[in-house]
């Protein structure tokens, strides 16, 4: 949940967190740092739900896990329980066909904020710190019901004429 609350901050970036300043985590995303002009820099607001988890776990993370890979492995193991909970709560969820890893949460996050909350793809890409909109497009599922509505609307217009 910590990753989700922080716009899908990766396990490696959580492990490397140094400080929170003025209620924001500002960092260079490890996966794309050095590959872009902006060094994949982003600042994420720490919402109360995330702050609670950071207070509880941030100091413990570096002492409990030897490196970010070990943290990521522990998170993946913990996701089994989360997957079971999701199966109980949402038995027809489209996300259950994937292994629950940070990457899948990023896809779910992007899909939900675009298709359910109505944010534009460019805004979703900015939230996920993508350098190219084509990357963000891969994260978002087609909204077939919207296409069906548009198709029906056009057919209705033709019927009126």
């Amino acid at each position: 949940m910590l990753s989700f609350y922080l716009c899908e901050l990766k396990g490696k970036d959580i492990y490397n967190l140094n400080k929170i300043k003025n209620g924001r985590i500002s960092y260079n995303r490890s996966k794309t740092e050095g590959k872009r002009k902006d060094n994949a820099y982003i600042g994420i607001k720490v919402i109360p739900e995330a702050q609670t988890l950071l207070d509880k776990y941030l100091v413990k993370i570096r002492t409990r896990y030897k490196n970010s890979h070990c943290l990521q492995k522990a998170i993946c193991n913990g996701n089994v329980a989360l997957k079971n909970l999701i199966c109980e709560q949402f038995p027809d969820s489209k996300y259950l066909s994937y292994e629950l890893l940070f990457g899948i949460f990023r896809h779910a996050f992007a899909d939900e904020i675009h298709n359910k909350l109505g944010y534009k793809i460019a805004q979703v890409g900015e939230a996920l710190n993508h350098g190219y909109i084509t990357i963000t497009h891969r994260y978002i599922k087609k909204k077939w019901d919207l296409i069906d509505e548009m198709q029906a609307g056009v057919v209705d217009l033709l019927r009126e004429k």
Side-chain angles (χ1 to χ4, degrees), residues 18-145:
N18 290 323
K19 61 182 176 181
I20 300 167
K21 187 176 180 181
N22 298 326
R24 297 188 80 73
I25 293 171
S26 299
Y27 70 102
N28 299 85
R29 188 167 176 240
S30 60
K31 183 177 176 182
T32 49
E33 182 179 19
K35 297 178 182 178
R36 297 179 3 206
K37 287 182 183 180
D38 68 353
N39 253 346
Y41 179 81
I42 190 167
I44 304 295
K45 180 180 177 182
V46 179
I47 62 172
E49 295 86 349
Q51 187 65 56
T52 300
L53 294 174
L54 287 168
D55 291 345
K56 185 174 182 180
Y57 295 112
L58 192 57
V59 174
K60 295 177 185 177
I61 286 174
R62 289 226 177 128
T63 57
R64 180 178 264 179
Y65 303 101
K66 182 169 69 171
N67 56 40
S68 62
H69 177 74
C70 293
L71 170 62
Q72 184 69 31
K73 185 176 178 182
I75 290 168
C76 290
N77 290 339
N79 283 340
V80 172
L82 181 57
K83 183 176 181 178
N84 291 338
L85 179 64
I86 291 172
C87 285
E88 290 172 18
Q89 298 289 322
F90 307 100
D92 59 342
S93 175
K94 62 185 169 187
Y95 302 114
L96 295 179
S97 60
Y98 301 104
E99 287 300 312
L100 290 174
L101 304 171
F102 272 121
I104 299 310
F105 284 131
R106 285 179 66 79
H107 285 257
F109 181 86
D111 191 51
E112 294 296 315
I113 62 177
H114 175 67
N115 285 327
K116 297 276 172 54
L117 299 178
Y119 285 91
K120 294 178 178 154
I121 291 177
Q123 294 169 311
V124 175
E126 191 172 336
L128 293 176
N129 201 11
H130 287 161
Y132 301 96
I133 200 74
T134 53
I135 295 168
T136 309
H137 276 284
R138 289 185 235 152
Y139 279 60
I140 296 170
K141 302 282 184 213
K142 288 279 188 201
K143 209 171 170 191
W144 300 113
D145 57 336

